Amino acid sequence: MSELSALAAALAGQYDVEREIGRGGMGIVYLARHLKLDRPVAIKTLPAHLAGSPDVRERFLREARTAAHLSHPSIVPIHRADEIGGQVFFVMGYVDGESLAQQLAERGRPPFVQTIAQLRDV
């Protein structure tokens, strides 16, 4: 069973998991629809090969708890952190648009002034 299928099965009835939208060292991010609120969300899940480690699971969930305590226009809100059916995940607001990695790949390095403005936001 694929990572997407396993997540979709674990969250059936709560979220409609649509597709993968990103991945990194600690997780895979999927676009999903919260069924009761009828809104798009992003779900970050810990890959199966990492979910078996209690230390990695705790670090992953600590990331969600830390982000959930922050409130800023440039920080995506965390709605939920949980473990269901062997799936470790957190649900956050979905921001439509391209990532910084996509921008760099398509347009190269931005002008210095734009970089400074983005860093100021961070």
Side-chain angles (χ1 to χ4, degrees), residues 34-80:
H34 187 286
L35 296 175
K36 288 187 179 176
L37 298 176
D38 191 28
R39 69 175 178 187
V41 295
I43 300 176
K44 183 174 183 179
T45 184
L46 194 57
H49 71 278
L50 296 174
S53 167
D55 290 341
V56 174
R57 254 193 343 271
E58 177 53 34
R59 192 168 73 224
F60 181 82
L61 292 171
R62 185 174 43 239
E63 174 188 341
R65 284 192 302 271
T66 300
H69 285 92
L70 303 173
S71 178
H72 187 275
S74 296
I75 298 174
V76 178
I78 304 296
H79 302 301
R80 175 182 182 183

Side-chain angles (χ1 to χ4, degrees), residues 41-122:
V41 295
I43 300 176
K44 183 174 183 179
T45 184
L46 194 57
H49 71 278
L50 296 174
S53 167
D55 290 341
V56 174
R57 254 193 343 271
E58 177 53 34
R59 192 168 73 224
F60 181 82
L61 292 171
R62 185 174 43 239
E63 174 188 341
R65 284 192 302 271
T66 300
H69 285 92
L70 303 173
S71 178
H72 187 275
S74 296
I75 298 174
V76 178
I78 304 296
H79 302 301
R80 175 182 182 183
D82 215 336
E83 294 183 54
I84 296 177
Q87 296 292 315
V88 182
F89 65 95
F90 58 89
V91 180
M92 57 193 140
Y94 172 67
V95 179
D96 191 15
E98 63 184 356
S99 69
L100 178 58
Q102 290 169 318
Q103 291 176 15
L104 292 173
E106 293 173 9
R107 295 187 287 284
R109 189 181 314 183
F112 183 73
V113 173
Q114 182 180 344
T115 300
I116 293 300
Q118 288 173 330
L119 288 174
R120 197 172 291 126
D121 284 344
V122 172

